[in-house]
Amino acid sequence: MKKAVFFLSILLSIVINAQKQEKDPEIAGYVKNVSKDSLKANIEKLVSLGTRHTMSSTTDKEKGIGAARNWVLSKFRNFAKNSEGRMEVYLQNEDLQPDGKRINKVTNLGNAIALLKGTDPTDQRIIIVSGHLDSRVSDILNSTDDAPGANDDGSGVAAVIESARVLSRSKFPMNILFVAVSGEEQGLFGAKMLSDKAKAENWQVEAVLNNDMIGNNSFDTPKNDGTPN
Ligand SMILES: [Zn+2]
């Protein structure tokens, strides 16, 4: 969790002004607003949904990828209320056909998206902050057994949500797009669906800050010889 907060401080520094880093008081203010409790609650909620396998139920209200993406969208919609109309929230989705590999039935793939529009209409840049919502057990086609995925990638999605919460209250000249993609474990399908849209709409993507397994503790665990990993 410490690592997640640390990462967010880096992320916010990049988003606001790569030149000023953590000494900028404005950035320090954003970092101060990052809540350890929010990050923890977000991860716990994602874990409580049983599995978030891409081919799990999209209609069950309690369990599965549908419940997960609807919950992320509901969080984004709450943040949008404080954004003075600048945050647009939507589900990007499409049906995937079986591919004989990691998709064995028609599957509705969905990316939960919040776009925080910039205040400068001439500034078309988009910074993408992403994590993957889906999880899985060892058997890639098992879409029913519990797959909590607290770290992979509940941690990354929690960071995306917390970034959206903190940054939605402020104004930036460029656009920031927060997204929890699906289909990562099955073959990066959600990221591809988003990149196809970006290409078709000629987005000016300035940076993609992807967060996958940012809660692991390898940094904190010394090697046998005492040096950090
Ligand atoms: Zn992952």
Side-chain angles (χ1 to χ4, degrees), residues 91-199:
L91 179 72
Q92 180 197 17
N93 65 336
E94 68 179 26
D95 281 342
L96 283 181
Q97 299 303 317
D99 64 359
K101 297 177 208 163
R102 292 188 170 199
I103 299 291
N104 64 1
K105 62 181 180 184
V106 176
T107 298
N108 189 259
L109 180 75
N111 293 334
I113 292 175
L115 173 63
L116 183 63
K117 293 176 197 160
T119 52
D120 180 352
T122 67
D123 192 339
Q124 295 298 304
R125 293 176 297 166
I126 299 180
I127 292 173
I128 297 175
V129 183
S130 61
H132 73 85
L133 188 58
D134 59 306
S135 64
R136 68 169 174 110
V137 294
S138 299
D139 175 1
I140 193 68
L141 294 176
N142 181 334
S143 61
T144 54
D145 286 358
D146 280 355
N151 190 21
D152 188 9
D153 183 30
S155 61
V157 172
V160 171
I161 293 170
E162 184 63 357
S163 300
R165 184 183 73 80
V166 170
L167 297 178
S168 61
R169 298 170 178 181
S170 299
K171 295 184 170 78
F172 306 98
M174 81 292 281
N175 306 285
I176 307 176
L177 187 135
F178 305 93
V179 57
V181 296
S182 189
E184 195 265 0
E185 303 284 6
Q186 309 310 114
L188 307 177
F189 290 107
K192 181 171 190 312
M193 180 167 66
L194 184 67
S195 62
D196 286 347
K197 180 178 171 67
K199 196 171 177 186

